[in-house]
Amino acid sequence: MWQWVLATGLMLPVAYDTQITIGPEQGASGSPYLSFCQERFYEEDDGLLRCNWAVNFNFACFVSYPSNKVIQAGSKIREPEVVGECDNGETIIKLLHY
């Protein structure tokens, strides 16, 4: 008798359907990103934004060539904004995007 009760108790959790979601929920928008680059490299063509994209102001000053990373033009939240100059005089812009 006790074996039957024990077996039922072990099987009970299997009867419930559990869904585990990893990552953002479908239909939910992700958090916006802030990217920096040197203004002279900023180029928008054919729906793509190309530049020497960097994660912060300082890295944007040191990356002196355009990167292979592109951002979809439709992901822009705001237009690029000038945020300052590097020690060598290069103008740095920031872009808020998804």
Side-chain angles (χ1 to χ4, degrees):
M1 167 87 175
W2 288 105
Q3 292 172 346
W4 183 81
V5 173
L6 180 60
T8 305
L10 292 175
M11 296 292 286
L12 190 57
V14 176
Y16 293 104
D17 184 25
T18 304
Q19 179 180 358
I20 298 173
T21 304
I22 298 173
E25 295 181 25
Q26 288 188 356
S29 62
S31 298
Y33 296 97
L34 191 57
S35 296
F36 297 83
C37 77
Q38 294 178 18
E39 186 175 39
R40 69 182 169 126
F41 292 126
Y42 182 78
E43 179 182 306
E44 186 172 344
D45 82 277
D46 202 26
L48 300 174
L49 306 176
R50 302 177 192 278
C51 202
N52 66 325
W53 298 114
V55 295
N56 64 35
F57 182 93
N58 291 330
F59 285 147
C61 289
F62 291 113
V63 179
S64 59
Y65 52 88
S67 66
N68 290 332
K69 178 183 174 186
V70 294
I71 297 173
Q72 297 290 325
S75 69
K76 282 193 304 187
I77 297 172
R78 290 192 208 135
E79 290 299 317
E81 174 185 340
V82 174
V83 290
E85 289 184 355
C86 301
D87 292 340
N88 63 1
E90 289 290 344
T91 305
I92 300 296
I93 60 174
K94 70 176 181 179
L95 177 69
L96 187 63
H97 62 95
Y98 285 108

